[in-house]
Every structure is written in structure tokens, then in C-alpha cells.
Amino acid sequence: MANKSKFQAIRGTRDLLPPDTALWNRVEQTAHEVFTTYGYGEIRPPILEPTELFARAVGGDTDIVSKEMYTFIERSDELDLQPTLGDLGPFLQRVKELQESGQVPRDPVGLELVEAARKDVDAMLRSKQKSDEAWRKIIELIMLFDGLKLGNDISLRPEATASVCRAYIEHNMQQLPQPVKLYYMGPMFRRERPQKGRYRQFYQIGAEILGGPDAPAIDAELIEMLMTFFDKCGLQGTELSINSIGHAADNCRRGYVSLLRAELEKVKDKLGADSQRRIETNPLRVLDSKLEHEQAIIATLPRIADHLCDECKAHYAAVKHELEQRGVIYRENWRLVRGLDYYMRTTFEITAQGLGSQNSVCGGGRYDGLVELLGGPPTKGIGFAIGEDRLILSLQESGKGAAPQGRDVYIAWMGERAYATAIRAAKTLRKAGFSVELPATELKFGKALERASKLGSRFALILGDNEVQSGEWTLKNLATSEQQKLTEQALLDYLKSL
Ligand code: ATP
Ligand code: MG
């Protein structure tokens, strides 16, 4: 027997199926509605972006960029025109040039790589067929040599803030009335270890406010909107934590980080390997530690709130005051930090119940330097990203999941004339907004009613010769087994009245 192995969704990815997808749709619809009432417009950036965009925006040192991105090389259009199979094409020409100019290392490894690439091209040319596999190998080899870019390095997006900022710059949105308020939803990709609430393809719903003015009310309104959204979704046990991480200046965060580093050095021996390493690379990240034995030590460390500059301190106080005015309940968490320089001032996180250790459903913060970092004009920015998978999980855990979708009406028909009437009835009922199941083949009434129940239908409309002739249709309530005879119009009126 031929081996027909079954396919499975790739590790860390999954199918979202009915009835769950009804809940996904409800959540997304709620986001559209709530965000629209706050004056946000939807942006749908592409899922593929230049790898460099994320390297710069998310940071080359982060786990996301250094090991979690799905990155590949796309042949440039120039290469697609290749090769006219008669010559070796620009590829070997370039290799030759590079060897001559000394850019390709003349050590054994460098020479060997070039030789291998040559062989692949040769084989492809000899076979007179363009082999994708050979091209891929060649391009990968070529990418090893700096400056010889024959393809574009692109990645599946691990997050969308970078894309939104890129789009803001690309479409000159700084010329629009400021600030520009955008939201997005869609899949993100990170090669992480899959577990409950952590996937390699996951979904985020996020929003960004780009452009001035410099007002704490902007931060507070964004958070108010977020909490309103969670509330409308029916999310249970939400906790909003906020913090201010100041800004990257000596009299503010940088001063604090030096102090923190010095204090950490003193207790270095009691810390785990990760934290020890971070004392040098990124002392703020030590505060993220979840290690049990480090908690008591961390509790004694200096806190950033005591080291903010006057402006950042005032900003933080104003954001808290604005939140209170809006009735938003928060708690302060001085350990809530971000590792990158352009993050500043307000940072926040929301946790929800029923998620175990992956209980963060949303992270957000201010990032005034990011647009400039990506080549745009100096622009203020703040945003959040909600983990939709976790939001859905939490709703399901607290019994807010979607029930299997039944049908309003199942049409049990027998006979050709009844079938014609059934088709018409189905059309009329669907037009009125009812969900209708019209079986594609004739079934005995008993069998049809059985199916109707299995599908969770509320009513069965029974259409046989008698009904068609008399114009009096039989409607059976499947919960109570009550039957009534109704004309088409009366039936429609009755269903609408429910
Ligand atoms: P975590 O600490 O849980 O890894 P994170 O700091 O990496 O989260 P962000 O990059 O701030 O998360 O993304 C915002 C939200 O997206 C998170 O709060 C979480 O709900 C969700 N999220 C992040 N990574 C994943 C993933 N791999 N699978 C599912 N949801 C995720
Ligand atoms: Mg993460």
C-alpha cells in the first residue's frame, strides 16, 4: 500500500474551528466597535516586512529578533530573470569580481564555499532547468558574503508596531491631523516553545497613537479604551499594572540603571546565571525574573520611581490622575520594565484569570523615539498589543466561550414539489436573517427530524405534499415538540416575533 502519511498543522500553529471561531469573531467585532468609538482607524499592514525593520524596531539583541523570527531570503526580481541558460549569468560574474577584489575570503573555507556555489550553478545550467533548490543554496551561500546581496532578507512579522511606524513614515502621516490613531489585528509569528497560551502563530489586536501633543491624557485614554474593550468582551479578573520607566537620560533612567547595576553587583553571587549575565547587558531585565529565590533580593533593589527626572515624575503623576478621573483601576508595579532605549515613561500590562503562567493578555507602553529610529521625523508614540489567543482562552475558561451554533430552522422536505417550495422558503427565511438548514437530499421525515435535533435546530419546518397543496405549513418546535400550522407569511411573522 502506498504510504499516504497524514499531514498535521505545523508545531505551534493550529486550526481555529467552529464554534470557537464565533467567539473570535465576537471579540474582533467588539474591538472594531470600541476602537471606532475612540476615533481609531484600522490599518492592515503586510505580514512580510524587511528583516531589518524588526532588527531595528524590536532590537537585534532581543530573543524575538535573535532567535524567534521566521526569516528567509526572497530572490530579487533580477534573479528571476536569470539565467539565460547559455551563460553563467551575473552570479558567477559577481563571485569572480569579489574574489578579485578580495572581498571573498581567500582562505580555504571561503574558496570552498565559492567552489560549491559554482558547482551548483554549473549543475543547474547543465540540466538546462532552473532548480529552485539549487537557487536557494546558491543564494544562501551568497548571503554569507557581505555586500553581495542577490536576495532580500524578509521576515514574518513577530509584532506589528514596527509595521505601523513604517507605514506612518511611508505614507507621510505626519501631515495628517495629529495624533494619528490606528489599530490592527492579525497573526504574528515567533518561533517559541509552544505551550498553553504560547504559539508560534498567534494573534494580536493592537493600537498605536502616533504624533503629538505631549499630554498624559493620551496615555490615559488609550488605557481607558483598552479596559473598556476587555470589559465589553466580558474578560474576568483583569488587573492593570502600570509603571513609568522615565526616559533615556543621565538624570533619569540611565542614572537609575547605573545605580541598579552597582547594587546588583553587590548581590551577584546570590543571583542565577541569567540575571548575572543581565547585570552587564540589561540590568532592568533582572526585574523581570520569576525565579523564586531571586524575589527577596529583588525586593530590596532601588526603585525607578525614586530616580525619575522632574518631567517624567510629573508625567507619571498626571497619567495616574487622569486614570483616576476616568475610573480606571490600576496598581503600580515598579518591576514592570522594557529593555529598549526608545521605550519611555508609561508602561503597562494587563493580566487575566485562567491562564496559568502565561497570564499576560496585553502589554503596552510609550515609545517616543521609535519613528525617528526608523528614519521618520521625531514623533511621539504609544500603543499596546493584546494577545488574542490568551484573551479567548481566558473567556473560555470563565465560561464565556461560544456555544455550538445551532440552526433556527431545519427544513424537512419530501417530494419534488415540496423541494421547490423548500428552496424558496429557505431563501425567504435567510433573507430575514434566520439561519436555515436545507438538506441537500430527500430524507424521510423521521430521519430529517433526527438530523434537525443533532444540529441543535430550534424549529423544523415540515414540507410535504399536503403542506404544499394546502399552503398551510407545519412548524415544529423541537424543544417542546409542539406543532402548529401556519401560512408562509404567518410563519415569517411568528419567527420574527420571537
Ligand atoms: P510573554 O512575556 O508572555 O512572552 P511578551 O512580552 O513576549 O509576552 P509582547 O511582545 O508584549 O509579549 O506581546 C503582547 C501580548 O501578545 C502578550 O501579552 C501576549 O498576550 C501575547 N503573546 C506574545 N507572544 C505570544 C505567543 N507566542 N503566543 C500567544 N500569545 C503571545
Ligand atoms: Mg515573549
Side-chain angles (χ1 to χ4, degrees):
M1 211 168 71
N3 172 26
K4 289 198 184 147
S5 57
K6 279 192 263 170
F7 290 106
Q8 283 187 331
I10 288 170
R11 186 169 137 84
T13 74
R14 59 201 180 125
D15 299 301
L16 306 175
L17 302 169
D20 295 349
T21 38
L23 180 58
W24 283 78
N25 280 322
R26 180 167 75 72
V27 161
E28 287 165 16
Q29 191 53 39
T30 305
H32 288 299
E33 282 165 19
V34 172
F35 297 173
T36 302
T37 63
Y38 281 83
Y40 286 67
E42 186 185 4
I43 177 171
R44 299 192 188 190
I47 288 170
L48 287 167
E49 295 273 8
T51 303
E52 182 58 23
L53 174 68
F54 301 117
R56 239 195 285 168
V58 183
D61 297 339
T62 58
D63 282 356
I64 294 180
V65 170
S66 67
K67 51 184 197 227
E68 295 174 359
M69 283 210 296
Y70 288 90
T71 295
F72 40 97
I73 296 153
E74 187 184 58
R75 278 203 305 254
S76 70
D77 293 343
E78 198 181 313
L79 273 175
D80 277 342
L81 301 176
Q82 292 291 322
T84 46
L85 292 174
D87 65 28
L88 288 181
F91 166 66
L92 287 188
Q93 186 56 36
R94 292 290 290 280
V95 173
K96 220 171 128 215
E97 281 166 21
L98 283 173
Q99 272 184 323
E100 279 162 9
S101 69
Q103 282 186 64
V104 170
R106 291 191 146 276
D107 59 26
V109 177
L111 291 172
E112 205 176 294
L113 285 171
V114 173
E115 198 42 46
R118 252 177 198 289
K119 275 202 187 122
D120 278 333
V121 172
D122 271 346
M124 181 170 59
L125 292 174
R126 254 198 318 275
S127 75
K128 297 219 191 323
Q129 282 200 8
K130 198 165 126 186
S131 139
D132 276 348
E133 178 57 22
W135 270 115
R136 199 179 54 74
K137 243 167 106 190
I138 292 162
I139 292 169
E140 271 169 18
L141 279 165
I142 291 167
M143 296 297 283
L144 289 172
F145 306 127
D146 270 356
L148 181 55
K149 294 254 167 176
L150 291 188
N152 301 314
D153 202 320
I154 61 178
S155 293
L156 294 176
R157 63 182 184 195
E159 57 103 59
T161 303
S163 305
V164 176
C165 291
R166 182 208 31 79
Y168 180 87
I169 299 166
E170 186 170 337
H171 303 287
N172 288 316
M173 290 191 216
Q174 71 275 8
Q175 284 167 12
L176 301 173
Q178 304 292 298
V180 173
K181 303 195 272 189
L182 297 168
Y183 74 95
Y184 62 83
M185 52 184 76
M188 308 293 156
F189 303 84
R190 295 181 196 174
R191 197 189 277 106
E192 300 192 76
R193 197 170 69 75
Q195 51 194 293
K196 183 184 174 192
R198 197 178 288 289
Y199 311 96
R200 292 181 168 185
Q201 175 173 342
F202 63 101
Y203 295 78
Q204 285 186 339
I205 299 177
E208 319 285 349
I209 306 180
L210 294 166
D214 187 5
I218 290 193
D219 307 42
E221 196 190 70
L222 179 82
I223 296 173
E224 177 199 313
M225 175 174 89
L226 184 57
M227 300 316 282
T228 303
F229 166 69
F230 283 143
D231 197 42
K232 278 246 161 89
C233 288
L235 190 65
Q236 304 290 302
T238 52
E239 271 192 34
L240 164 67
S241 306
I242 62 168
N243 192 22
S244 174
I245 54 167
H247 76 297
D250 289 340
N251 68 341
C252 199
R253 184 166 70 233
R254 273 210 284 272
Y256 168 71
V257 170
S258 314
L259 181 70
L260 183 63
R261 185 174 277 136
E263 290 303 311
L264 284 168
E265 285 293 349
K266 293 184 198 161
V267 293
K268 188 168 182 173
D269 297 343
K270 297 185 211 150
L271 298 172
D274 278 347
S275 293
Q276 288 195 359
R277 199 162 11 86
R278 286 177 176 150
I279 296 177
E280 261 323 300
T281 58
N282 204 338
L284 283 174
R285 293 289 315 280
V286 175
L287 305 181
D288 276 347
S289 163
K290 305 228 157 64
L291 290 183
E292 200 54 54
H293 80 274
E294 292 185 345
Q295 301 307 310
I297 304 162
I298 291 171
T300 66
L301 293 170
R303 306 183 169 205
I304 192 161
D306 302 325
H307 302 274
L308 296 177
C309 68
D310 290 345
E311 287 81 13
C312 286
K313 208 175 272 177
H315 184 272
Y316 188 32
V319 170
K320 287 188 281 185
H321 178 66
E322 282 269 355
L323 286 173
E324 283 149 26
Q325 276 187 300
R326 292 155 197 270
V328 176
I329 296 164
Y330 62 84
R331 67 187 183 97
E332 292 180 76
N333 177 3
W334 68 277
R335 289 174 54 177
L336 192 60
V337 292
R338 295 276 182 273
L340 298 172
D341 257 12
Y342 59 76
Y343 279 112
M344 60 182 290
R345 295 187 169 171
T346 312
T347 49
F348 54 95
E349 180 183 65
I350 290 104
T351 54
Q353 68 181 32
L355 294 173
S357 54
Q358 264 66 248
N359 67 348
S360 165
V361 285
C362 177
R366 178 161 282 287
Y367 50 81
D368 288 358
L370 180 55
V371 170
E372 206 175 351
L373 187 74
L374 298 177
T379 306
K380 304 205 168 301
I382 184 170
F384 62 74
I386 297 165
E388 193 177 358
D389 307 73
R390 293 186 196 174
L391 168 56
I392 299 274
L393 260 175
S394 179
L395 290 173
Q396 288 170 333
E397 295 280 319
S398 57
K400 303 256 156 120
Q405 196 212 345
R407 310 287 188 277
D408 297 316
V409 182
Y410 184 102
I411 305 184
W413 59 271
M414 272 191 83
E416 229 156 86
R417 280 182 64 206
Y419 183 51
T421 305
I423 291 176
R424 200 167 45 74
K427 222 173 185 177
T428 311
L429 287 167
R430 284 171 176 153
K431 197 170 165 199
F434 297 108
S435 104
V436 176
E437 191 67 26
L438 175 65
T441 55
E442 184 174 71
L443 297 171
K444 296 243 161 62
F445 283 130
K447 189 92 194 153
L449 290 176
E450 215 173 274
R451 290 262 176 99
S453 297
K454 274 202 187 133
L455 286 172
S457 317
R458 285 185 74 191
F459 294 97
L461 171 57
I462 299 168
L463 291 176
D465 284 343
N466 291 345
E467 280 81 3
V468 173
Q469 214 140 41
S470 66
E472 293 267 300
W473 298 355
T474 305
L475 188 69
K476 179 169 182 176
N477 181 324
L478 291 170
T480 63
S481 290
E482 276 172 290
Q483 289 195 182
Q484 48 180 327
K485 293 237 171 216
L486 297 164
T487 63
E488 182 173 359
Q489 187 56 49
L491 176 108
L492 204 58
D493 292 342
Y494 171 69
L495 290 174
K496 280 187 186 162
S497 75
L498 295 176

